[in-house]
Amino acid sequence: MSLIGVYSSRDFSDENSYFEVEALHFNLWIIPQRKRDVIFNCHNGKPLWSFIFPRFSRNYIDVGLRIKVIPGGGLNWVDLHLPATNSNGDLNFFDLSEVVLDDRMNDLLFGRKVDVDKEKRTISYYRDGKSVQDEVVKVQKITDLKSNGRFRVEFAEPLKAQYSESYFYIRFRYECQNSDEILNKKGWGFAKAGFVIDVRLNDIRETVDFAEMNQSYNMKDVKEFNAFVVHPTNYMRSAQSPNVHYSRLLEPNAWRPYLVTCEPYSDKQKYVINQWKTTGVVSSAEPYRMFAQLQNEFGLNVFIVYIGGILSLPFLSWLASLIY
């Protein structure tokens, strides 16, 4: 299981507790590796078994957060629980604020017309029938809090609301360090080639054994949650809960500038994008659980397994003759 959560300060007199989460965006990118890279690079700094059973994809997660700060309040950081990470120090991430301010990309990201003021670093667009404006803020540092995947996201400058409530948007990307946490292998065998994805937002079942014990009291409600899972077309969705909002083919050329840090992305590869979205507020009392099962169709990887099984039949027959 993979937990996502947004947390405020424990001290409710701390100004870092006076904010609301308007929207949380979560993207999982499953990028297949080139086979030669799998063969020659899988052993670098990894256990021997990774050479025998290599991972055939590099996986990335994008996180976008729309925050409302009330007048007189300020925000220097926000705590997030991030899945598929290792507690080996601060998170190696890519800040995507400049991409959000890029006129070529923001319409793709938000799925609507976005106007940009690069001098003020703001984006304007229509949301729920009215025009809104967000200030795009750069992420300065993401610090590991040594609490089972909880990180402190620090901003380049404090988020301040002067005379009226203000809205801010941050977005960053990191490569999955522990992909098995979010892409659970179904097992070994021809009928088990695939993954199970289990993502949970504000689910207290995933927090009760943390070092700080139950953290539900300072979990922030999320007013809107949008999750995207992008995978190669050879994976078919065989089960899901709840139903996806929609699925479509990814536009490979259009997304190339956005995925430049997702090595080894190629616009020759076809991808399917699936979206899940909430219809109400997500809280610790009403968590959101997203489940999907991806089945790998008969492709090169499965073909190699089949050939290996056929070639091993004489040896297995000889071994059986020795035993019986």
Side-chain angles (χ1 to χ4, degrees):
M1 288 76 72
S2 299
L3 175 68
I4 311 169
V6 184
Y7 301 89
S8 63
S9 171
R10 284 184 167 191
D11 183 0
F12 292 106
S13 63
D14 186 345
E15 65 177 4
N16 285 295
S17 65
Y18 291 104
F19 70 95
E20 296 179 9
V21 181
E22 294 293 309
L24 175 61
H25 301 149
F26 176 85
N27 295 11
L28 171 62
W29 300 89
I30 304 173
I31 309 296
Q33 292 197 69
R34 294 180 292 268
K35 299 301 181 291
R36 59 183 176 87
D37 292 340
V38 172
I39 294 173
F40 292 108
N41 297 334
C42 67
H43 66 284
N44 291 340
K46 298 180 181 179
L48 178 61
W49 55 262
S50 67
F51 181 80
I52 303 172
F53 302 109
R55 177 170 290 279
F56 289 93
S57 66
R58 294 181 66 173
N59 310 306
Y60 299 85
I61 290 176
D62 297 351
V63 177
L65 203 60
R66 186 172 190 256
I67 298 173
K68 180 173 75 173
V69 178
I70 64 174
L75 195 63
N76 297 292
W77 49 261
V78 63
D79 286 354
L80 297 177
H81 192 284
L82 301 174
T85 57
N86 287 331
S87 296
N88 295 326
D90 297 346
L91 188 67
N92 184 20
F93 70 98
F94 303 95
D95 174 71
L96 297 174
S97 59
E98 296 302 324
V99 178
V100 175
L101 293 169
D102 190 338
D103 286 324
R104 300 174 302 168
M105 298 308 306
N106 44 41
D107 290 359
L108 286 174
L109 292 176
F110 293 93
R112 67 198 73 183
K113 175 62 179 175
V114 177
D115 296 318
V116 177
D117 187 328
K118 293 189 176 180
E119 183 177 348
K120 296 181 179 179
R121 296 184 62 85
T122 60
I123 55 175
S124 302
Y125 53 95
Y126 278 91
R127 176 186 175 90
D128 299 328
K130 62 180 181 180
S131 179
V132 298
Q133 184 179 87
D134 300 342
E135 181 179 340
V136 180
V137 179
K138 182 178 180 180
V139 175
Q140 185 71 28
K141 186 180 181 181
I142 301 181
T143 306
D144 186 359
L145 297 180
K146 307 297 182 182
S147 181
N148 294 55
R150 187 166 168 176
F151 292 83
R152 177 154 297 170
V153 179
E154 302 178 25
F155 311 125
E157 55 187 34
L159 313 188
K160 295 286 187 180
Q162 298 296 333
Y163 306 107
S164 61
E165 57 190 28
S166 299
Y167 296 86
F168 301 88
Y169 189 79
I170 65 170
R171 195 177 186 97
F172 61 90
R173 168 183 299 144
Y174 64 94
E175 183 172 1
C176 296
Q177 301 162 315
N178 181 18
S179 291
D180 291 337
E181 181 181 323
I182 195 167
L183 292 174
N184 302 276
K185 292 187 180 70
K186 293 175 61 181
W188 298 101
F190 302 140
K192 297 181 180 179
F195 301 99
V196 172
I197 300 173
D198 186 350
V199 176
R200 305 182 183 189
L201 174 61
N202 285 358
D203 190 345
I204 61 174
R205 289 187 177 93
E206 294 295 304
T207 67
V208 292
D209 59 345
F210 285 178
E212 299 180 25
M213 299 305 291
N214 196 319
Q215 299 178 6
S216 60
Y217 63 91
N218 65 335
M219 276 183 175
K220 300 294 288 187
D221 293 352
V222 177
K223 296 181 181 179
E224 177 185 304
F225 178 59
N226 284 281
F228 296 85
V229 175
V230 187
H231 57 79
T233 52
N234 60 289
Y235 286 101
M236 298 298 294
R237 201 175 61 254
S238 58
Q240 62 201 7
S241 176
N243 289 329
V244 298
H245 180 60
Y246 73 80
S247 298
R248 75 173 197 272
L249 284 175
L250 187 75
E251 305 80 10
N253 293 325
W255 285 94
R256 170 177 277 280
Y258 181 72
L259 297 171
V260 66
T261 60
C262 290
E263 185 183 0
Y265 173 76
S266 170
D267 54 18
K268 301 295 189 293
Q269 172 72 51
K270 294 181 180 179
Y271 292 89
V272 174
I273 180 169
N274 308 284
Q275 181 190 11
W276 285 262
K277 66 182 302 183
T278 58
T279 56
V281 177
V282 182
S283 65
S284 57
E286 293 289 340
Y288 185 79
R289 304 178 181 95
M290 185 185 87
F291 177 90
Q293 182 171 274
L294 299 180
Q295 189 78 23
N296 192 2
E297 291 187 319
F298 192 95
L300 179 59
N301 298 342
V302 178
F303 178 74
I304 292 174
V305 174
Y306 269 105
I307 293 298
I310 293 172
L311 294 178
S312 65
L313 285 178
F315 171 76
L316 295 175
S317 178
W318 171 76
L319 186 62
S321 67
L322 293 180
I323 297 175
Y324 297 105

